[in-house]
Amino acid sequence: MSIKENWDKVLEKVRTAAEESGRTLEDITVIAVTKTRTADEINEVISSGATDIGENKPQEVRDKFHDVKDGVKWHLIGHLQTNKIKYIIDKVCLIHSVDSIHLMDEIDKQAKKHSLIMPILIQVNISGEETKQGVSRQELPQLLEHAGTLSNIRVEGLMTIMPKVENNITNSLHFDNIRQLFVDISCKKYDNVTMKHLSMGMSGDYEEAILHGATMVRVGTAIFGARDYSKT
Ligand SMILES: *Cc1c(COP(=O)(O)O)cnc(C)c1O
């Protein structure tokens, strides 16, 4: 299967899930996750219709940025160290993986230097798994309140990574929990916080994520095939 065929197939599934959840394809942003992929492969998915691409390492954004077609939106979806913010601050449209007050402060500082306002999502560890990054539900209000003190970032929603599941057991409960959190925060009115984006769902569960209210899905393997980390 070509990248184009895979992309079309993913998009059809997104459309079906969006309609089943009372929305349309246009309500969902499909982020083609391009970590380990070459600029040529990225340009191919853009030619197939992708408008948004996601990288989990700042260095990969920096290294590929100038070889990828203009006009596409870059998303930083992986863990971000504060000393790497400078690689991506003027290149990405949204940082999905903010999970500390310190990181919020540093992004704000770098954004100020570039005279821009950086949209961010707060990454929540909804399952409570120890290995996953993200803030706990208990820590979340602190970060949301802190957003009100910063002028060069804007919190636009939540992101989460679901635990890997086996044997068709689903993450249904976790999906419901984060959706509920998203709705609760929307009602609370924190300064400088809007709940516009709910970023969840990957190759294995993006349809289920959409049925549970995702507005952004991050899909790599289903578009590009299995990743080969030995080449990077
Ligand atoms: C790699 C990655 C994805 C995509 O995973 P696939 O299973 O290949 O679709 C999504 N989100 C994050 C944060 C990732 O690092």
Side-chain angles (χ1 to χ4, degrees), residues 119-206:
I120 65 167
L121 306 182
I122 306 295
Q123 182 172 354
V124 182
N125 179 354
I126 198 72
S127 68
E129 260 196 336
E130 275 183 26
T131 54
K132 286 275 175 294
Q133 273 142 13
V135 294
S136 67
R137 255 192 267 199
Q138 292 72 25
E139 295 166 305
L140 184 59
Q142 268 179 285
L143 272 73
L144 295 173
E145 269 167 33
H146 191 67
T149 69
L150 302 174
S151 51
N152 288 71
I153 60 154
R154 202 164 55 207
V155 176
E156 295 197 339
L158 304 179
M159 180 272 221
T160 193
I161 299 175
M162 289 295 163
K164 285 214 169 58
V165 292
E166 283 161 21
N167 306 328
N168 290 330
I169 303 165
T170 70
N171 279 315
S172 191
L173 187 64
H174 299 318
F175 279 126
D176 282 340
N177 285 342
I178 190 139
R179 167 73 185 167
Q180 194 54 52
L181 202 53
F182 186 78
V183 171
D184 288 348
I185 297 165
S186 313
C187 298
K188 274 203 180 128
K189 302 230 180 304
Y190 291 93
D191 279 351
N192 201 21
V193 174
T194 55
M195 287 292 116
K196 198 154 88 179
H197 308 300
L198 181 54
S199 170
M200 59 184 187
M202 316 193 344
S203 289
D205 59 6
Y206 64 93

Side-chain angles (χ1 to χ4, degrees), residues 33 35 56 77-78 159 161 201-204 218-222 227 229:
V33 175
K35 62 190 185 215
N56 72 332
I77 61 174
M159 180 272 221
I161 299 175
M202 316 193 344
S203 289
R218 310 178 305 264
V219 183
T221 309
R227 278 179 292 276
Y229 285 100

